[in-house]
Amino acid sequence: MPDEKNAAAVTEAKAPQHTGEAAFFDVDNTLMKGASLFHVARKMYERKAFTLSQAAGFAWKQFKFVMRGENMDDVHSVRDSALTLAAGISVADVMALGEEVYDEMIESRIWPGTKALAEQHLRVGRKVWLVTATPIEVATVISTRLGLTGALGTVGEVEAGMYTGRLVGDILHGSAKAVAVKRVAEEENLDLDHCWAYSDSANDIPLLTLVGHPVVINPDSRLRRHAREHNWPVYDFRSGRRAATLGLKAATVGGAVYGLWRGFSNFRGPRV
């Protein structure tokens, strides 16, 4: 009689390999608690890369996002500020910082339930991509550490290893995520009707409606309502009362992007 381990190995080996299918995961508040760039900005502040007054401005911008939510005017305003501040920043600095922040801050904030969902897709042969407004360099660190297929993120134009202050495309936010996933589906020969997408935010409804299997994780109120109306599955991995999402929403994409690039504007060389 085969032991349980061997039986499990045989079962897994015989599991159908779902080629032509993939799963796409948002990062902030879906894969991890809070926003990845919030922790990057925090690390920059610890390194004294920006001043207390700049940090206060960062906090105020986050507060406004918490109180009124995100909209595309806010995102475009952040984008315009970020582009000016990003010029001259080293890509190597961003990559190194991403590794450090993952080890110290992000790894412990990964939702075990979301990670388990991603791993299940990988086990049956589906590719798993992160889709996030986070710069692609940081998103790639997270994807690599988790053993995922890859990441789609905001792409900054680079010349000679330095950011130029211009974007390649736009911030990967809202409907831009759906456009990016369509492009990947064409390149990878994926059938979107047999793909999955996971998010916490109503801003990602274009992405969720693009695939045949939309799944809602730790949703904001608008997305929870939309999911209920469309009979989408909902997972909530947060402990305690639902109102605790206020703290999570404090680290929104917009505020976090602003804080990160604000910090990087003073991280272009040794401080004297």
Side-chain angles (χ1 to χ4, degrees), residues 23 25 30-32 107 109-126 128 130 146-148 196 198 215 217 235 237:
F25 285 78
T30 301
L31 177 66
M32 60 170 286
E107 185 176 24
R109 290 173 170 81
I110 299 291
W111 294 109
T114 308
K115 182 181 178 184
L117 289 169
E119 291 172 344
Q120 176 60 24
H121 285 296
L122 291 171
R123 276 195 295 273
V124 298
R126 295 189 188 101
V128 178
L130 300 183
L146 292 175
L148 307 182
W196 276 252
Y198 298 81
V215 181
I217 294 181
Y235 294 93
F237 299 126

Side-chain angles (χ1 to χ4, degrees), residues 7-231:
V10 170
T11 300
E12 186 168 323
K14 291 182 178 179
Q17 297 299 297
H18 296 272
T19 56
E21 301 178 7
F24 299 91
F25 285 78
D26 173 49
V27 173
D28 299 338
N29 297 336
T30 301
L31 177 66
M32 60 170 286
K33 300 177 185 178
S36 50
L37 283 182
F38 175 80
H39 301 296
V40 174
R42 174 180 161 191
K43 174 59 66 176
M44 296 303 299
Y45 178 70
E46 290 177 0
R47 291 184 175 186
K48 303 186 184 302
F50 53 89
T51 67
L52 184 60
S53 62
Q54 290 170 335
F58 172 34
W60 171 246
K61 198 163 189 73
Q62 289 193 86
F63 176 75
K64 290 195 296 181
F65 275 104
V66 170
M67 298 307 294
R68 69 186 188 190
E70 292 180 0
N71 61 61
M72 292 312 295
D73 287 340
D74 289 327
V75 172
H76 292 157
S77 175
V78 170
R79 175 200 61 193
D80 294 341
S81 297
L83 292 178
T84 300
L85 297 167
I89 300 168
S90 165
V91 175
D93 286 340
V94 177
M95 292 294 292
L97 192 68
E99 297 280 356
E100 186 176 335
V101 170
Y102 183 87
D103 288 335
E104 296 183 14
M105 300 172 181
I106 292 177
E107 185 176 24
S108 63
R109 290 173 170 81
I110 299 291
W111 294 109
T114 308
K115 182 181 178 184
L117 289 169
E119 291 172 344
Q120 176 60 24
H121 285 296
L122 291 171
R123 276 195 295 273
V124 298
R126 295 189 188 101
K127 295 183 177 181
V128 178
W129 298 81
L130 300 183
V131 188
T132 175
T134 296
I136 186 61
E137 291 81 8
V138 177
T140 298
V141 169
I142 300 172
S143 173
T144 300
R145 292 300 193 93
L146 292 175
L148 307 182
T149 306
L152 307 176
T154 298
V155 179
E157 185 183 67
V158 175
E159 291 181 359
M162 310 292 281
Y163 290 105
T164 65
R166 296 183 293 271
L167 289 181
V168 177
D170 208 340
I171 290 177
L172 204 63
H173 178 85
S175 59
K177 289 186 178 181
V179 173
V181 167
K182 282 182 181 178
R183 186 163 56 248
V184 168
E186 292 172 359
E187 294 170 353
E188 299 285 331
N189 197 27
L190 301 175
D191 182 350
L192 288 172
D193 287 337
H194 292 86
C195 289
W196 276 252
Y198 298 81
S199 180
D200 71 296
S201 172
N203 291 318
D204 286 342
I205 288 175
L207 168 63
L208 293 166
T209 56
L210 180 67
V211 300
H213 302 284
V215 181
V216 172
I217 294 181
N218 305 329
D220 60 30
S221 59
R222 285 175 53 212
L223 183 57
R224 185 180 293 276
R225 183 168 58 252
H226 188 91
R228 185 168 56 245
E229 292 170 354
H230 291 79
N231 199 31

Side-chain angles (χ1 to χ4, degrees), residues 226-266:
H226 188 91
R228 185 168 56 245
E229 292 170 354
H230 291 79
N231 199 31
W232 291 352
V234 176
Y235 294 93
D236 201 326
F237 299 126
R238 296 165 294 195
S239 60
R241 59 191 178 87
R242 231 180 271 164
T245 58
L246 181 67
L248 295 177
K249 290 172 77 175
T252 58
V253 168
V257 171
Y258 178 83
L260 172 66
W261 293 121
R262 186 73 175 179
F264 280 161
S265 69
N266 290 323

